[in-house]
Amino acid sequence: MKNNKDMPVEEQSGPLMADVARLAGVAISTVSRALANPGRVNEKTRLKIDAAAKQLGYTPNAMARNLRVGKSNIIMIILPGSLYYGVSQIIPQVLQSINKALIQNGYHLMIANLDRDEMSERHILDLAFSGTVRGAIILSSKLPEVDGRSLANAGLPIVSMLLDMSDAGLPSVVTNDRAAMRDVTEELIGLGHRRFLYIAGPEGNYHDVERYAGALEALRAAGLSEESMSRSGGRRDYQEGFAIGVEAAADFAQLANRPTAVIATSDDMAISFVSRVQRMGLNIPGDLSVVSFDGSPVCEFSSPPLSTIEQPVEEMGQAAVDILMERIDATERGAAMRHVIPSRLIRRESFALAQSTV
Amino acid sequence: MKNNKDMPVEEQSGPLMADVARLAGVAISTVSRALANPGRVNEKTRLKIDAAAKQLGYTPNAMARNLRVGKSNIIMIILPGSLYYGVSQIIPQVLQSINKALIQNGYHLMIANLDRDEMSERHILDLAFSGTVRGAIILSSKLPEVDGRSLANAGLPIVSMLLDMSDAGLPSVVTNDRAAMRDVTEELIGLGHRRFLYIAGPEGNYHDVERYAGALEALRAAGLSEESMSRSGGRRDYQEGFAIGVEAAADFAQLANRPTAVIATSDDMAISFVSRVQRMGLNIPGDLSVVSFDGSPVCEFSSPPLSTIEQPVEEMGQAAVDILMERIDATERGAAMRHVIPSRLIRRESFALAQSTV
DNA sequence: TTGTAGGCGTTATCAA
DNA sequence: TTGATAACGCCTACAA
């Protein structure tokens, strides 16, 4: 402590390395070494120093250290505009798994929210260019870029998760959206379904593109035309899944030749869709089979329990952190890679054999 | 830039204040002033400096600044063990509103997860004692404390949210759990209900204590005995809401004189409970009224739509940040206060007049 | 209004 | 193996 003469109480800044050094009877630099490179110091002095540090309740000042070594130990996660989904636990799960993996590597997690406004972009760019963060994991398809500064040029390792941005030069951790969709569509075809309704999130979104492509692949493989699958949605964001499902139910009611199977691209859509068509008197899965994406646990408690494609969020988060750590340590950067972690279909009662129709 | 002779490319640390100063033809300190106290510098030089800064794409180094001024601009949020709830969006909503409010005040949000293990406590204490964070918002009932160091003694402003910890000296932002529960119970009594089932989270938890007390207040006021309300649950955490609801349905089935109204302390509990008792052939709200806590949007799409008590998370987050900011700025700390923000009952079809029974 | 100089708490280099 | 010393990039008296 240096303020020992008048001690204005207000900001007691805690013990410094100098205090530890004094108590242990060694030089400051020796304390620094003892704490950082315990191997490079005499065992006896190390013990003395450890004891002194513990006695004083010493914790090294992170800002001083980071300034000195020129590196921060904070990673930021860039989340899309709204974190607010209906039943999906993807965001909390991502945060949890990433935070855990980061801590194990000695890093901390900072949140950055990427809204559509310029302010949030500026905020993220400040974080990057001020040296506050050491790397980023991004869950949005847009890299912040405001008057000259772009996140891409911040010299920061970045990993994309959920969305494939390897084209933009970012290593990406994704699930097998396309194959998962192809498989489940195939399975429905196998159950006798020939007319489908596809409920989409925002058109052009990576998930939509991939999943729809997967569905079409299955149709083609079975010799069915593209017209056998109607589309609903495409204008609203995934955050508005409930509204999308409600609108899809209205669309569904209008269809002349009603589909016997519905594929929703989020559990929210499926849940609100089901609630509306049941109200119209339809039986699920008797009249209509339903499958969706996200693997929300609540699907088990719908009536009927909903089949859903679970995304391996834990593994994806862990993988994203692993890749980020590699990038941080690497002297040379490898090529941007696309890492695919397979998802898993949870089969429940919401889909069944097609009624023999027509 | 200082590395201008051989430029090893690897760590291009960006322009410094010295570079801006050189380009603008002024001293470093003038740049510092121009950027921080624009008023205390000649307008003409200020423009020159701004231009130079923009031209170089200069962003001040946050770690150097923070070290110098002895303050960080990072706030940590301490979240309970698992973020993983079934349908509740409380955690994401909290993060969103707090992050937004913090940014408006010039702060950043760091996540800290408080598991039951010592490692996570140590992690949080390091964040606090290393000067990394300037304050904390805590959503857990336990203040980290490991060998000597305690978060309570870190000299850090802390605000509790969701849980009332004013007894422990923390200003707390909570909702009116007790009154909300009293009101809804009263309402059920008014509808003719006389036998209740209360589905609890972990016993002794603040929410459980408050809510149960509220229910009892209503019973007493109506001249009903405590025995008119059965209790289920009490052993599992809120994160296991679905399991609690399933078990409650089993408990319910065993009851000799079945309740006509159920009060669940989370939407997860209500949803899984309903799915099970419906499978037992009961009609809701015909045979059984149901109300729960959390205000999850999905409740609108259950069948029947579920009544639920919505927590004002946005306002609570905003209030928590406001209070934290006051504490940070305040020279003298006021007494710990309890700030109550009222919740709101969303009435849906899941409760109705009691069937005339007995 | 602007410039000079010193220091925030650490780590890293160099001698001893 | 240890100690003195010079940065890291910025802010802030104080002097000019």
Side-chain angles (χ1 to χ4, degrees), chain B residues 34 42 47 55 103 106 137 143 154 168 182 184 207 244 253 264 328 339 353:
Chain B
N42 184 298
L47 288 173
Q55 180 185 329
I103 288 177
I137 293 177
L143 280 174
R182 188 188 339 101
V184 78
H207 286 127
I244 296 173
I328 285 177
H339 303 258
L353 275 172

Side-chain angles (χ1 to χ4, degrees), chain B residues 79-91:
Chain B
L79 298 169
S82 165
L83 311 184
Y84 183 79
Y85 293 81
V87 300
S88 161
Q89 292 293 307
I90 291 194
I91 298 290

Side-chain angles (χ1 to χ4, degrees), chain A residues 92-173:
Chain A
Q93 278 181 278
V94 165
L95 290 177
Q96 185 114 323
S97 71
I98 288 185
N99 190 43
K100 189 175 158 197
L102 284 179
I103 288 177
Q104 285 170 349
N105 286 280
Y107 287 86
H108 304 303
L109 180 59
M110 174 168 283
I111 282 198
N113 222 187
L114 183 52
D115 269 317
R116 300 197 175 283
D117 58 344
E118 199 177 289
M119 198 187 102
S120 74
E121 295 200 49
R122 209 180 294 278
H123 179 241
I124 289 171
L125 289 169
D126 282 345
L127 247 18
F129 284 90
S130 68
T132 302
V133 305
R134 183 79 185 289
I137 293 177
I138 185 165
L139 274 66
S140 163
S141 61
K142 185 174 124 207
L143 279 174
E145 178 164 8
V146 173
D147 48 50
R149 299 186 309 174
S150 160
L151 191 59
N153 307 328
L156 224 57
I158 308 177
V159 175
S160 171
M161 184 172 156
L162 294 185
L163 268 34
D164 181 9
M165 297 184 69
S166 53
D167 287 348
L170 302 187
S172 305
V173 179

